[in-house]
Amino acid sequence: MKVENRSIDYIPENERHGEPRSLFFVWFGANANITTVAAGVLPISLGLNLFWSVLAIVLGSLIGAVFMASHSAQGPRLGIPQMIQSRAQFGVYGAIVPLLFVMLIYLGFFVSNTLLAAQAVAAASPFGNGVNIVLLGLACFLVALFGYNLIHRFQKVLSLASIGVFGIATVLALALPTAPGQWALQGFDGVAFLASVSIAVTWQLSYAPYVADYSRYLPTRTSTRQVFWYSYLGTVLGGSWMMVLGALLAKGMAGFSDNVGLNLVGFLGGSTLLTFAFVLYGQVAINVFNLYGAFMSTVTVIEPFAALKVTPRVRAGFMLVICAAATGLCTLAQDDFLQFFLNFIFFMSYFLIPWTAINLVDYYALRKGEYRIADIFAPSGIYGRVNGIAVAVFLATIVLEVPFMSTSLYVGPVARSLQGIDLAWAVGLLFPALAYYALMSRRKPLASAPAKG
């Protein structure tokens, strides 16, 4: 075990290793935590019964994971982190625009995960809430510092343990008494159902900005199909399972949503040390993704303006500052966690979906996976400093989404006329995909660039 010596740079073939099946454990484990269970409470809080909640969760997961796994498949081919690849679409400086939004998403998830973990340990820890939050942040820092290989091992252990623990929990949850009609077709609410599908879609899309970070060390010859399907199955099975468990517990346990972390710990076996260790392990495992991704994004933003040699000491310094800032934000979170979490998930979708549409159209439809890696690091290269088309389409999409938004903080005029149905995700997917393709396809040299150079 040693500190990873690569950051945003290209992974040469002699350092490539691993098998695509490891991605199943990475993304199954990424979902095996309290935060995913809490996401499953949201459809219930919107008024759906169990039948429609489960259907929305599964449907949304199946849809959202298509985009997530398509990003994962880019890793072995390009050998660079996900967000620095955005320079090929937005330009070396232009990529800073989506990066700033993505960094907010990393910080938001770090806060959500840490608060839930602090809830879970509150009854057993001899320390106060503030100290618990700091200790959790420190644990995330240490794992993220060692990087890629340790994260893969961490997730595999978590995945295998989760199958047993959450398997038993699911059987017990299904046996809990619930009100009549929970598995009936009656009581369908179109607004709540579409909102719940959007939650599950966005949950899977939230991995998109860093999913290729964990496949970029795989050999270039690795099957794209295998990378896609191992990532897809891992995240769909893990995410759907945990969310459905959250929905079951929200209906079967009185007050479960009031303190998801502590109530889940109690349901899994009370205050035993093993239970707390398992829950905390899961929260640290998912928060490592956010810290690791925030580090990559920070380096990507700074690198065009200052030559950076990311030594282990520099890496530790960056991560420590980011971790300290994220940990500090935990003290500013709202008391009403579920409402905060619901608004945060919708907020994410408004920025993530336009970025993912542009990225995937560029990779699969326009350039067909052919990029000049060296030029991604050079402002004077073929991708330029700023691609005005990508930046304009991205920002215009966000503006166009506003009338379609429907959250507790703001409801747009179109959403209001549709009785609260949020269709911003559809605008955020279709408009940038069509507009970017139409405008960029006029540039003839696009598909001629070799994959390496």
Side-chain angles (χ1 to χ4, degrees):
M1 294 300 297
K2 61 180 181 179
V3 174
E4 183 185 355
N5 62 0
R6 296 284 179 184
S7 60
I8 63 172
D9 44 331
Y10 173 76
I11 309 299
E13 199 65 38
N14 64 341
E15 295 182 26
R16 304 290 188 99
H17 60 277
E19 297 289 339
R21 62 175 175 267
S22 67
L23 295 171
F24 175 88
F25 298 108
V26 168
W27 299 113
F28 185 94
N31 287 283
N33 53 72
I34 304 173
T35 314
T36 320
V37 174
V41 176
L42 298 178
I44 301 298
S45 71
L46 292 173
L48 294 180
N49 66 10
L50 280 173
F51 176 82
W52 292 111
S53 294
V54 170
L55 183 60
I57 287 168
V58 173
L59 180 61
S61 297
L62 290 171
I63 295 171
V66 171
F67 302 99
M68 173 272 192
S70 297
H71 285 294
S72 184
Q74 298 170 349
R77 179 70 176 269
L78 299 180
I80 54 176
Q82 187 71 70
M83 286 311 297
I84 197 170
Q85 194 231 102
S86 293
R87 291 179 176 181
Q89 296 94 49
F90 291 83
V92 174
Y93 298 141
I96 293 172
V97 175
L99 271 165
L100 292 176
F101 290 111
V102 167
M103 289 171 75
L104 287 175
I105 290 167
Y106 290 142
L107 292 175
F109 257 121
F110 191 99
V111 170
S112 300
N113 295 329
T114 303
L115 288 177
L116 280 171
Q119 281 183 359
V121 301
S125 173
F127 306 110
N129 199 53
V131 175
N132 291 333
I133 288 174
V134 171
L135 291 175
L136 287 164
L138 181 60
C140 294
F141 164 75
L142 291 174
V143 178
L145 178 62
F146 282 89
Y148 184 91
N149 287 332
L150 182 56
I151 292 171
H152 270 252
R153 295 178 186 179
F154 219 69
Q155 297 301 106
K156 186 171 184 178
V157 172
L158 177 61
S159 296
L160 296 174
S162 297
I163 291 172
V165 173
F166 285 118
I168 295 171
T170 303
V171 172
L172 295 175
L174 286 169
L176 291 173
T178 57
Q182 286 304 310
W183 296 102
L185 296 176
Q186 289 79 17
F188 175 73
D189 183 331
V191 175
F193 181 78
L194 287 176
S196 300
V197 171
S198 298
I199 289 169
V201 169
T202 306
W203 182 265
Q204 297 298 342
L205 275 173
S206 68
Y207 297 123
Y210 52 70
V211 63
D213 297 3
Y214 304 97
S215 60
R216 76 190 198 279
Y217 275 87
L218 292 173
T220 306
R221 67 180 183 278
T222 302
S223 166
T224 298
R225 182 175 297 178
Q226 288 187 19
V227 173
F228 176 92
W229 283 112
Y230 277 117
S231 302
Y232 184 85
L233 292 173
T235 196
V236 167
L237 292 176
S240 298
W241 184 2
M242 295 305 109
M243 288 189 208
V244 168
L245 176 60
L248 290 170
L249 292 174
K251 280 295 185 182
M253 288 181 65
F256 179 77
S257 60
D258 296 338
N259 191 322
V260 175
L262 191 58
N263 286 328
L264 181 62
V265 166
F267 186 73
L268 291 177
S271 57
T272 64
L273 182 61
L274 188 61
T275 301
F276 279 106
F278 171 77
V279 170
L280 289 179
Y281 190 99
Q283 292 308 99
V284 170
I286 185 58
N287 247 2
V288 164
F289 284 99
N290 298 304
L291 183 54
Y292 190 80
F295 161 71
M296 294 284 197
S297 296
T298 302
V299 174
T300 302
V301 169
I302 295 173
E303 188 263 348
F305 305 101
L308 281 177
K309 183 175 176 59
V310 185
T311 62
R313 183 174 295 180
V314 171
R315 183 188 189 90
F318 268 110
M319 283 193 175
L320 192 58
V321 171
I322 296 167
C323 188
T327 301
L329 284 174
C330 293
T331 61
L332 304 177
Q334 299 180 27
D335 292 332
D336 188 353
F337 175 79
L338 276 183
Q339 192 59 59
F340 162 77
F341 194 41
L342 181 61
N343 285 324
F344 172 65
I345 285 179
F346 280 121
F347 168 82
M348 283 196 307
S349 70
Y350 302 140
F351 302 103
L352 271 179
I353 292 176
W355 167 80
T356 203
I358 290 171
N359 179 275
L360 294 178
V361 165
D362 188 80
Y363 184 91
Y364 289 101
L366 290 170
R367 303 185 198 268
K368 305 187 189 309
E370 300 294 330
Y371 291 84
R372 289 185 187 173
I373 302 302
D375 285 8
I376 287 177
F377 296 88
S380 59
I382 63 171
Y383 306 115
R385 288 170 170 78
V386 177
N387 180 358
I389 291 175
V391 173
V393 169
F394 179 75
L395 295 177
T397 304
I398 294 171
V399 173
L400 288 173
E401 287 176 322
V402 172
F404 296 87
M405 294 178 180
S406 181
T407 70
S408 64
L409 300 177
Y410 170 78
V411 179
V414 176
R416 194 178 299 113
S417 68
L418 295 173
Q419 299 181 326
I421 295 176
D422 190 323
L423 294 179
W425 64 271
V427 176
L429 184 63
L430 294 175
F431 174 78
L434 296 173
Y436 182 79
Y437 182 85
L439 294 171
M440 288 296 292
S441 60
R442 298 176 183 177
R443 296 188 176 184
K444 294 181 181 179
L446 273 177
S448 62
K452 301 179 180 63

